[in-house]
Amino acid sequence: MNVSNLLINWIGWSGITYNKMFILRNLEGGWEAWFQADFCAYLSTVPGLEFMREATYPGNYGRADLRLRDSQLEVYCEFKCLYALANMEKMYNAIQEDITRLSSTPSACARLMLCWCETGTVLHAQLLADGFSVYATILDPVGANNFECLGIGF
């Protein structure tokens, strides 16, 4: 299982564009719930892949936003989706809280923190500086600010 490929294939499957992302990012209260639901709709079309939203970590160490499982790997994912009205410092702190939980959860399974944000933002720059990698990109047709899904694994 390659989570980056799943995200890239979701972009094509969903028909998501930069312009639609720009609208979503302006929704008051954010768009994480929409992303999770739409991503899971795509995942339901992937043969051999099981998924569960709000899955309990092994050993009952809280809940993950999403669990993915195939014949070779089990991955627990946490998501954050930056929206225009978000306080960047609060968003970064919430990401750090998820990272602390992910990194301290005793488990043999893979754990992954994934964050959708715009390039050119302070949050994007900080996450890259913290060691996050680009998992998927939705290109801005005029080349200004793309939307990227940044991830870091544990």
Side-chain angles (χ1 to χ4, degrees), residues 17-32:
T17 63
Y18 176 85
N19 291 337
K20 187 171 182 182
M21 288 292 285
F22 190 81
I23 292 167
L24 288 169
R25 82 181 235 331
N26 288 309
L27 293 175
E28 188 172 340
W31 55 279
E32 183 179 321

Side-chain angles (χ1 to χ4, degrees), residues 34-150:
W34 171 85
F35 165 71
Q36 288 187 37
D38 202 61
F39 188 51
C40 286
Y42 161 70
L43 295 174
S44 72
T45 70
V46 178
L49 183 68
E50 299 174 24
F51 64 92
M52 176 183 282
R53 290 188 66 208
E54 299 300 323
T56 302
Y57 285 105
N60 201 24
Y61 287 95
R63 291 180 176 261
D65 289 333
L66 181 67
R67 184 195 73 214
L68 304 170
R69 185 186 311 166
D70 67 10
S71 62
Q72 299 176 348
L73 185 63
E74 182 173 50
V75 180
Y76 287 79
C77 303
E78 296 290 344
F79 295 105
K80 290 289 185 254
C81 298
L82 179 65
Y83 60 101
L85 300 176
N87 176 302
M88 294 284 183
E89 185 177 344
K90 285 183 181 178
M91 187 79 167
Y92 183 74
N93 290 341
I95 291 167
Q96 293 307 306
E97 288 171 13
D98 280 352
I99 287 173
T100 298
R101 185 173 68 251
L102 285 169
S103 62
S104 65
T105 301
S107 177
C109 64
R111 296 167 313 265
L112 186 60
M113 179 78 223
L114 295 164
C115 305
W116 280 99
C117 57
E118 275 182 279
T119 59
T121 62
V122 173
L123 180 64
H124 184 270
Q126 184 61 57
L127 294 176
L128 289 175
D130 288 350
F132 279 68
S133 300
V134 177
Y135 274 62
T137 302
I138 298 171
L139 297 174
D140 178 350
V142 297
N145 289 326
N146 300 320
F147 286 96
E148 290 186 332
C149 186
L150 304 179

